[in-house]
Amino acid sequence: MNNMYGYARVSTREQKEDRQLIALSEVQLPEKNIYVDKQSGKDFERPMYKRLMKKLKEDDLLYVKSIDRLGRNYEEILEQWRVLTREKKVDIVVLDMPLLDTRRGKDLMGTFLSDIVLQVLSFVAENERKNIRERQREGIDAARQRGVKFGRPTNPLPDNFSQVSQSWLSGEISGRRGAELCGMPLTSFRRRSRAMKKMWE
């Protein structure tokens, strides 16, 4: 009897893989045969995926919850599908899309239809990721226009900063001396002084 495996991936350690694991458990996969990576698909250096690829043998069966678990973009998903089905000669079942089940239609027409569906879905998955990034960027831009500040909060300036800063900008003291007088790191003193100068101009 051929082995059955499952693969799940989440993009960060904070994200939960529960939804994928529940779906994989419903097809009665042995827990030891489920491989989970918790890192971005930015590169394909995923340790558990690599371990899985070494385990897979011809005619084994691989389950994934959705097609975008296989790669980070359209080209990579197609490449991984090709490696798995043509080189490794394993069957794949995509639980979110019953049409992507290579056990069905092993003839030329079945393979052709499966390849078309895969290409369309890979393209849709990549575009959805692009749309999410675009919506995030638009949300950040809108928040900035409302005055929301991102990044670390700026430390309050010491009471003598304005006077010391003017002394440095006019060449009366060195930047190092100015930073010492204000109890600030040199780079911060210079940066905040230049920012204040722009406000005066």
Side-chain angles (χ1 to χ4, degrees), residues 12 16 23 29 39 63 73 76 82 123 134 139 157 163:
T12 67
K16 299 294 182 192
L29 284 175
Q39 64 190 81
Y63 287 92
N73 56 38
E76 196 165 66
R82 185 192 66 76
F123 180 74
E134 181 64 20
L157 292 169
Q163 181 184 347

Side-chain angles (χ1 to χ4, degrees), residues 31-92:
E31 193 173 325
K32 67 183 176 66
N33 285 4
I34 297 176
Y35 291 75
V36 181
D37 275 311
K38 287 194 176 188
Q39 64 190 81
S40 168
K42 279 192 227 172
D43 55 55
F44 226 65
E45 296 302 310
R46 294 186 278 178
M48 298 308 289
Y49 186 81
K50 283 184 166 183
R51 194 176 297 180
L52 169 65
M53 290 294 277
K54 287 179 182 174
K55 275 273 186 185
L56 288 168
K57 301 286 187 291
E58 186 172 345
D59 294 328
D60 282 346
L61 178 58
L62 174 64
Y63 287 92
V64 291
K65 175 81 166 71
S66 56
I67 193 64
D68 60 355
R69 301 302 87 194
L70 288 180
R72 61 183 173 175
N73 56 38
Y74 175 68
E75 289 82 11
E76 196 165 66
I77 292 169
L78 292 176
E79 173 61 15
Q80 290 307 312
W81 187 273
R82 185 192 66 76
V83 169
L84 288 162
T85 59
R86 309 265 167 86
E87 293 181 17
K88 287 285 191 180
K89 294 183 169 55
V90 302
D91 279 312
I92 306 176

Side-chain angles (χ1 to χ4, degrees), residues 36-171:
V36 181
D37 275 311
K38 287 194 176 188
Q39 64 190 81
S40 168
K42 279 192 227 172
D43 55 55
F44 226 65
E45 296 302 310
R46 294 186 278 178
M48 298 308 289
Y49 186 81
K50 283 184 166 183
R51 194 176 297 180
L52 169 65
M53 290 294 277
K54 287 179 182 174
K55 275 273 186 185
L56 288 168
K57 301 286 187 291
E58 186 172 345
D59 294 328
D60 282 346
L61 178 58
L62 174 64
Y63 287 92
V64 291
K65 175 81 166 71
S66 56
I67 193 64
D68 60 355
R69 301 302 87 194
L70 288 180
R72 61 183 173 175
N73 56 38
Y74 175 68
E75 289 82 11
E76 196 165 66
I77 292 169
L78 292 176
E79 173 61 15
Q80 290 307 312
W81 187 273
R82 185 192 66 76
V83 169
L84 288 162
T85 59
R86 309 265 167 86
E87 293 181 17
K88 287 285 191 180
K89 294 183 169 55
V90 302
D91 279 312
I92 306 176
V93 175
V94 180
L95 296 171
D96 279 355
M97 179 52 62
L99 279 171
L100 289 178
D101 181 343
T102 60
R103 296 172 301 178
R104 299 177 185 172
K106 291 281 191 180
D107 58 4
L108 184 61
M109 181 56 73
T111 302
F112 175 69
L113 288 173
S114 181
D115 284 351
I116 287 176
V117 172
L118 172 68
Q119 291 194 41
V120 170
L121 287 177
S122 301
F123 180 74
V124 168
E126 182 176 3
N127 271 301
E128 179 56 23
R129 279 191 295 275
K130 286 179 180 174
N131 289 338
I132 289 169
R133 286 196 296 271
E134 181 64 20
R135 287 195 293 270
Q136 286 173 337
R137 189 186 62 75
E138 288 172 355
I140 290 169
D141 288 346
R144 281 193 174 126
Q145 287 176 8
R146 294 194 308 270
V148 176
K149 297 201 182 292
F150 294 89
R152 290 184 299 178
T154 305
N155 291 329
L157 292 169
D159 295 338
N160 65 341
F161 178 78
S162 179
Q163 181 184 347
V164 175
S165 176
Q166 287 178 29
S167 296
W168 174 64
L169 291 167
S170 63

